[in-house]
Amino acid sequence: MDQSEFRKIPGVDRLLESPEIAARIGGLSHPIVAEAVRRTVEKVRAMVRNGDKCPAVGEIAAMALAELDERENLFMRDVLNASGVVIHTNLGRAPLGTEVIEKMSRIGGGYCNLEYNIALGKRGFRGGLQEQLLVSLTGAEDAAVVNNNAGAIFLILSQFAKGREVVISRGELIQIGGGFRIPDILEQSGGILREVGTTNQTSLDDYASAINENTALILKAHHSNFHIGGFVYSPPDRELAALAEKNGLLFVYDLGSGALVDTERYGLAHEPTVQDAVRAGAHLACFSGDKLLGGPQAGIIVGKKEFVAPLKKHPLFRALRPDKLCLAALEQTLVHYLKGEAEEKTPVLLMLAMKPDEIRHRAESLSEKINLEPDRLSIVQGESAVGGGSLPGQTLPTFLLAVRPPVSPDKFAEKLRLGAPAVVARIIDDTVCFDLRTIPEARDGDLADAINSALA
Ligand SMILES: *Cc1c(COP(=O)(O)O)cnc(C)c1O
């Protein structure tokens, strides 16, 4: 081993003095920058140990800067979602409306009456008002709010299914996103899975004949993220509710997305609404706050008082409780629905309602701002997706700005992601496509700038 090469490796302190690296301390803090530099020096040591020559100091500094870029990309930042997927789980699901953000800001920036009854000057109940709003909106007897819908299902099964059987159709033993599988949740909660029917056909009789003295509940899980068509049958919710009722069981409906408005008005298929589930007689129904409802991450449970009330006494309820920011956002989201203004003020609903012509006009204006030969730009018909475990396979007609970049589409898409703001676009054939349905109109200019920077 060549000791003279080792002696050439600059020290961490010396690298930290280099102006380009020192300039990053303001944004990233000294410990993070120093750690990245230390890692880079370790890498260089390993290279020299392997017999390589020590790179020039400038080269080592460049390695450290690349390491710093990597760190910086891990910090949360806003993303322009040009993918056209409205509820994009990886990109944070539902964006929140202006008044919702204002409410969170007011509540989060100081103290609030989270668990305090102002009139009485003593302890109150977290989530109490939000529960009442949910009752008013859905027609259910009672409601409870937890951290997310997976938590809601876990809580319900832990309360009612411990050591007892849960009847579920084989067509509904589903996996939602990464790592959430109905059979696993059931097992964790201490329940016993009792599968009935087949993937595509499950009759009321299949459910009925599975019921025995150890059955606790019938669980129905919405097909949120896949679609089966053709020769399919499952009994109507009303019949499942009646069967459960007759046998002294609970009918629990995991709605997944939790629409409060009928998605048919957007030209989409009918997603079961929360009101549908309540009307059908579900003893408990649960859904996410940040899917079609368009609010913050939350798990919402509605149903009959005698079954919702014990959930609020379960130790898991405390473990899964939502924080003040979630409840502030949920409250304002629900108030918009109650005032009949949700469709003008909830970004998810606005995006679903956006007309293709409006999107085309915006795409045309965007196209005029892009610094590229016109023959590399085109406006093409495309499809936006609802996403986020809502209406699988259903799309909305849209128009896309399709850019044929001078570099490879993958390379261009990467530059867009690494820009500020980060842009997530879609690659179709040899073009990178931008769907303005999922971009707030006020940010069209930012998107143009980001595309131009990535082209430069
Ligand atoms: C999305 C979804 C869940 C999980 O909800 P989270 O709020 O993400 O925890 C559970 N069940 C169904 C059917 C879903 O669509």
Side-chain angles (χ1 to χ4, degrees):
M1 222 178 289
D2 188 347
Q3 288 303 322
S4 68
E5 284 301 312
F6 271 110
R7 278 193 292 275
K8 286 187 199 155
I9 301 174
V12 171
D13 288 342
R14 177 161 162 224
L15 285 166
L16 281 171
E17 279 163 17
S18 111
E20 287 147 297
I21 292 177
R24 305 293 287 270
I25 291 175
L28 286 172
S29 82
H30 189 278
I32 287 182
V33 174
E35 157 68 16
V37 170
R38 217 172 286 127
R39 276 238 235 168
T40 307
V41 172
E42 281 309 315
K43 266 192 216 161
V44 174
R45 273 186 199 291
M47 285 163 62
V48 173
R49 228 177 283 124
N50 283 336
D52 289 351
K53 291 233 169 297
C54 175
V57 178
E59 229 171 288
I60 298 174
M63 286 167 68
L65 287 169
E67 185 95 29
L68 286 169
D69 286 343
E70 244 169 66
R71 293 300 158 88
E72 199 152 278
N73 288 329
L74 295 177
F75 281 79
M76 285 187 95
R77 57 163 74 179
D78 66 317
V79 170
L80 291 178
N81 171 17
S83 72
V85 179
V86 176
I87 304 167
H88 198 307
T89 296
N90 299 160
L91 301 182
R93 289 197 185 154
L96 301 173
T98 312
E99 286 170 57
V100 174
I101 296 296
E102 278 166 8
K103 178 110 201 185
M104 287 171 86
S105 162
R106 216 162 42 244
I107 296 301
Y111 297 102
C112 65
N113 57 344
L114 178 65
E115 286 184 6
Y116 185 74
N117 184 317
I118 288 179
L120 302 176
K122 58 178 201 186
R123 193 182 190 290
F125 293 98
R126 178 186 296 248
L129 174 76
Q130 294 78 19
E131 290 168 6
Q132 285 174 36
L133 300 179
L134 284 161
V135 164
S136 304
L137 272 167
T138 63
E141 286 177 16
D142 200 359
V145 182
V146 294
N147 199 273
N148 57 67
N149 190 31
I153 298 160
F154 188 45
L155 172 64
I156 292 170
L157 294 175
S158 301
Q159 171 74 36
F160 295 107
K162 208 171 210 76
R164 302 183 62 200
E165 289 183 11
V166 172
V167 185
I168 182 165
S169 160
R170 288 196 171 87
E172 295 170 11
L173 295 172
I174 55 176
Q175 169 160 350
I176 311 288
F180 173 79
R181 288 183 166 176
I182 295 268
D184 296 342
I185 290 268
L186 181 60
E187 192 185 321
Q188 282 300 316
S189 66
I192 302 157
L193 178 63
R194 184 68 193 256
E195 305 170 38
V196 296
T198 61
T199 305
N200 56 329
Q201 294 270 330
T202 305
S203 68
L204 192 67
D205 260 357
D206 290 329
Y207 283 97
S209 42
I211 295 172
N212 60 54
E213 69 289 342
N214 197 30
T215 307
L217 59 90
I218 295 173
L219 178 62
K220 173 165 174 153
H222 182 53
H223 286 174
S224 316
N225 51 3
F226 68 105
H227 177 73
I228 60 172
F231 184 54
V232 292
Y233 181 80
S234 56
D237 303 336
R238 190 171 292 284
E239 291 181 12
L240 288 175
L243 178 67
E245 187 74 34
K246 197 178 91 193
N247 290 278
L249 310 174
L250 261 66
F251 172 47
V252 177
Y253 193 170
D254 171 14
L255 285 159
S257 159
L260 290 179
V261 297
D262 190 343
T263 44
E264 272 177 31
R265 74 175 70 177
Y266 305 114
L268 295 163
H270 179 75
E271 175 88 359
T273 63
V274 183
Q275 298 92 319
D276 289 341
V278 170
R279 259 196 307 272
H283 298 92
L284 292 170
C286 60
F287 54 98
S288 300
D290 52 358
K291 290 183 178 172
L292 280 176
L293 184 73
Q297 177 186 304
I300 298 168
I301 302 166
V302 298
K304 305 251 192 288
K305 208 174 200 76
E306 63 173 306
F307 305 115
V308 177
L311 295 175
K312 299 186 202 178
K313 300 207 172 80
H314 195 286
L316 264 178
F317 188 67
R318 169 64 178 77
L320 291 169
R321 75 181 184 186
D323 79 318
K324 61 185 173 184
L325 292 180
C326 164
L327 289 171
L330 182 63
E331 179 178 309
Q332 189 58 49
T333 303
L334 297 174
V335 165
H336 285 327
Y337 278 95
L338 283 164
K339 286 184 172 170
E341 60 190 23
E343 279 164 284
E344 294 105 75
K345 300 204 170 173
T346 310
V348 163
L349 301 181
L350 283 165
M351 289 185 229
L352 293 181
M354 207 176 284
K355 296 275 169 283
D357 266 350
E358 183 189 341
I359 299 170
R360 182 165 53 79
H361 281 300
R362 286 171 56 199
E364 283 163 0
S365 315
L366 178 67
S367 150
E368 283 159 20
K369 298 195 187 98
I370 306 303
N371 306 327
L372 207 58
E373 308 85 81
D375 67 338
R376 288 188 172 274
L377 299 166
S378 51
I379 309 288
V380 299
Q381 283 188 315
E383 289 174 337
S384 316
V386 181
S390 307
L391 296 158
Q394 293 271 312
T395 57
L396 294 156
T398 192
F399 285 93
L400 309 167
L401 169 63
V403 176
R404 200 159 51 79
V407 294
S408 81
D410 284 324
K411 184 77 209 154
F412 183 49
E414 183 189 21
K415 285 180 103 179
L416 285 162
R417 289 197 309 273
L418 294 175
V423 177
V424 172
R426 235 192 308 162
I427 297 175
I428 302 177
D429 300 328
D430 61 344
T431 64
V432 175
C433 293
F434 301 86
D435 186 345
L436 294 177
R437 183 186 296 278
T438 44
I439 301 280
E441 192 169 356
R443 303 214 57 192
D444 285 1
D446 293 342
L447 178 60
D449 293 346
I451 295 173
N452 285 329
S453 310
L455 286 169

